[in-house]
Amino acid sequence: MSEIILHNYYRSSTSYRVRIALEMKGLQYRYVPHHLRHGGHLEPAYLSVNPQGLVPALIWNDGTLLVQSLAIIEFLDEVVPEPALLPKDASGRARVRMLAQMIACDIHPVNNLRVLTSLRTVFNAGDQDVINWFRHWVNEGFQPLEKILSSSQETGKFCHGETPGLADICLAAQVVNNARFKVDMSPYPTINRIHAACIALPAFEKAAPQNQIDAE
């Protein structure tokens, strides 16, 4: 058995998700940074690892390559069952996946670096245009997310009950990303409350962007 290797970038919210999960599971891993803004993820050496050229990529201790943060996190939850990141009941698991995907599949993809870069290079968007784009899609996703979380009896201290899980991991990473674009979070008191509960936990703090070896 070899070591676990995580190819990532400190400011990548998808990388942050996986770092949180690894910390929650108590797994030791080797941190391999790739500077996205300098094109490190597009260098031949990394493309030979992950042809998609995205982070994160996890090399499991048997050499298995895993990419896509949600797939990685669910894999970790299966091979290291405790603490569980998904509920035991089918409806609970579906709800947590729903909440996670509202962020990971609806907000993040249109706001990731390659899309924002394309707005500049292909469509000649200026800095404020890019900021407005980012804020727009966050609000499009956070408005319904706030309504669901604030109105559901299944919402507790965290997105689903009293322990953090997959949805909280996605929520925390997105809120941290929002801060870079100065998204107004005042309309989202439930999201803010859950985020505060998350970042108070050691796993979230240790995995935070500012605490990584490549942080700038």
Side-chain angles (χ1 to χ4, degrees):
M1 302 291 278
S2 184
E3 63 183 338
I4 300 169
I5 301 171
L6 179 65
H7 295 270
N8 74 141
Y9 176 53
Y10 82 102
R11 206 160 63 178
S12 157
S13 60
T14 51
S15 296
Y16 185 20
R17 294 174 197 162
V18 175
R19 293 196 303 264
I20 295 168
L22 287 164
E23 295 296 340
M24 290 180 71
K25 298 294 185 180
L27 294 169
Q28 300 295 314
Y29 63 96
R30 178 157 62 92
Y31 185 110
V32 180
H34 300 276
H35 200 301
L36 300 190
R37 292 188 176 275
H38 294 169
H41 58 305
L42 300 177
E43 293 177 357
Y46 182 58
L47 291 175
S48 69
V49 174
N50 178 12
Q52 196 175 18
L54 299 175
V55 293
L58 185 80
I59 310 297
W60 191 239
N61 54 22
D62 63 358
T64 299
L65 167 68
L66 298 166
V67 299
Q68 296 296 328
S69 64
L70 297 189
I72 294 171
I73 294 169
E74 291 216 31
F75 168 82
L76 295 175
D77 206 36
E78 292 181 11
V79 297
V80 184
E82 297 297 333
L85 302 179
L86 287 166
K88 296 188 182 302
D89 62 296
S91 61
R93 290 195 301 274
R95 181 177 183 270
V96 167
R97 288 184 175 117
M98 172 191 75
L99 297 172
Q101 290 173 22
M102 288 177 69
I103 298 169
C105 300
D106 290 339
I107 298 174
H108 174 263
V110 294
N111 276 345
N112 67 17
L113 179 60
R114 61 180 178 172
V115 169
L116 300 184
T117 298
S118 292
L119 289 175
R120 298 178 188 275
T121 58
V122 179
F123 300 101
N124 299 314
D127 289 345
Q128 191 59 50
D129 296 320
V130 171
I131 291 169
N132 290 342
W133 170 280
F134 186 98
R135 292 172 177 171
H136 170 77
W137 291 114
V138 168
N139 289 321
E140 284 290 302
F142 268 24
Q143 288 169 7
L145 181 63
E146 174 71 22
K147 289 179 181 178
I148 291 171
L149 290 171
S150 64
S151 63
S152 172
Q153 293 183 349
E154 294 173 297
T155 304
K157 180 178 181 180
F158 297 98
C159 287
H160 191 84
E162 303 307 310
T163 56
L166 176 62
D168 305 282
I169 288 172
C170 292
L171 181 148
Q174 183 61 52
V175 172
V176 167
N177 213 21
N178 291 354
R180 291 174 40 227
F181 292 83
K182 296 182 172 57
V183 174
D184 179 10
M185 292 294 295
S186 61
Y188 312 118
T190 309
I191 291 173
N192 287 332
R193 175 182 61 76
I194 293 170
H195 178 248
C198 288
I199 61 173
L201 299 173
F204 285 75
E205 175 63 19
K206 189 173 181 181
Q210 68 271 16
N211 295 326
Q212 307 314 304
I213 58 174
D214 56 333
E216 298 174 328

